[in-house]
């Protein structure tokens, strides 16, 4: 299974970016898909997650600014990031958990830089 992420880049504070991730090589949909991020010198943290049922969850720091969406049948997930702040600067990783909960899959990471 491979996760291919895209959409990172440089944006000014207050701007928007959209990240996308597509999974290939899996015959089955995932238990959930989502996005993590890791800033320099910090641990990797969960940003947002969407379950196959459509249920979503967000880190407190991004609630009201980020929106996660996904297509369970196509194994894709997107993250719309609005009102971006400098503290959102990080490498963003797409993540998926297998339906049986035993296997984690990670994308290659895409850099988001929020700076004027």
């Amino acid at each position: 299974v491979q996760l291919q992420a895209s959409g990172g880049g440089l944006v000014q504070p207050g701007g928007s970016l959209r990240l996308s991730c597509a999974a290939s090589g899996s015959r089955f949909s995932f238990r959930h898909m989502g996005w993590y991020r890791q800033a320099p010198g910090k641990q990797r943290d969960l940003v947002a997650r969407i379950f196959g049922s459509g249920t979503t969850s967000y880190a407190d720091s991004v609630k009201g600014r980020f929106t996660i969406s996904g297509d369970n049948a196509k194994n894709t997930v997107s993250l719309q990031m609005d009102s971006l702040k400098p503290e959102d600067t990080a490498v963003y990783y797409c993540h998926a958990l297998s339906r049986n909960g035993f296997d984690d899959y990670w994308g290659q990471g895409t850099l988001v830089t929020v700076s004027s």
Side-chain angles (χ1 to χ4, degrees):
V1 176
Q2 291 186 329
L3 302 183
Q4 182 67 42
S6 61
L10 172 65
V11 64
Q12 293 186 341
S16 298
L17 278 176
R18 185 177 181 86
L19 305 181
S20 297
C21 177
S24 60
S26 175
R27 294 175 56 196
F28 306 102
S29 58
F30 300 102
R31 179 174 295 189
H32 54 70
M33 296 184 74
W35 294 91
Y36 285 71
R37 67 185 180 187
Q38 186 167 21
K42 296 188 177 181
Q43 66 181 21
R44 188 175 298 187
D45 292 324
L46 177 66
V47 176
R49 174 182 290 164
I50 184 166
F51 289 79
S53 62
T55 300
T56 59
S57 62
Y58 296 90
D60 287 343
S61 60
V62 307
K63 283 181 180 177
R65 300 188 298 120
F66 291 11
T67 303
I68 191 169
S69 59
D71 186 325
N72 204 38
K74 296 182 179 179
N75 286 340
T76 59
V77 62
S78 296
L79 185 68
Q80 177 66 38
M81 304 185 294
D82 299 318
S83 302
L84 282 160
K85 304 175 181 180
E87 51 263 44
D88 295 317
T89 295
V91 177
Y92 284 70
Y93 295 91
C94 179
H95 171 264
L97 181 68
S98 63
R99 179 170 287 184
N100 61 17
F102 292 154
D103 299 300
D104 285 279
Y105 304 103
W106 294 92
Q108 80 281 13
T110 184
L111 178 62
V112 172
T113 304
V114 185
S115 176
S116 56

